[in-house]
Amino acid sequence: MDWTALSVSLRLSALTCLLLLPVGLWLGRALALSRFRGRALCEALVALPLVMPPTVLGFYLMQAFGVQAPFGAFWQSLTGGGLNFTFTGILLASLVANLPFAVQPIQRAFETIPPNLREAAWCSGLSPSQTLWRIELPLVWPGLVSALALTFAHTLGEFGVILMVGGAIEGETRTLAIAIYDRVQAFDESGAAVMSAMLLLVSFLTIGVVYGLAGRRRWRRG
């Protein structure tokens, strides 16, 4: 086991979940409740990382993070450093790549809440913010847990985007998925097998959590 690479992967996954949860909550709720022109385009942009090849997404992000690009130049003027081949760079790339995993489960959860439930809460004197915290969030928590589980597992196993943006710098951008690739390249199949088993276990547990929550919701409805 490459413990340094595992540490980088766990830190990246945890920060991605922490930063994407409020974004996913706000955007998922807005897409579920709002009807506006261009809504389909917004949903398509959110889902784009699901169908775009990771290396293609990583290439465009690498270009956007470069000092010649507007965003990369702005970041360098703000912080004095670049984004490519840094942990901050792969974190920003991870936020983009995992956006649909954070938004879509929360959006689907909010879509299951009957509109008259919110109206009843408002008629009872609750403000929109009180309705969100007291009524809506307790009902959509399975969607929140699913979003966190999917985001964490996908970040832990992400390869193409991270490699394009961050390379494989020890202790900085070399994640567990990249370490597996390096072990295979070095013909260390036993080491690659151990780390692959770790990712396989995490993926299996994640799918178990998601399907378990989905089954529980169906059981309650029935």
Side-chain angles (χ1 to χ4, degrees), residues 67 115 138:
V67 294

Side-chain angles (χ1 to χ4, degrees), residues 69-135:
F71 181 77
F74 169 76
W75 183 270
Q76 187 177 44
S77 65
L78 190 67
T79 64
L83 282 171
N84 286 325
F85 308 109
T86 66
F87 181 83
T88 303
I90 64 173
L91 176 58
L92 292 178
S94 179
L95 295 178
V96 176
N98 286 282
L99 186 62
F101 296 96
V103 173
Q104 290 185 348
I106 297 176
Q107 179 184 349
R108 301 294 174 255
F110 274 107
E111 288 174 345
T112 62
I113 300 178
N116 56 7
L117 189 61
R118 297 185 184 89
E119 296 171 359
W122 297 337
C123 292
S124 300
L126 294 180
S127 65
S129 60
Q130 289 174 327
T131 301
L132 172 64
W133 287 102
R134 297 184 183 183
I135 306 297

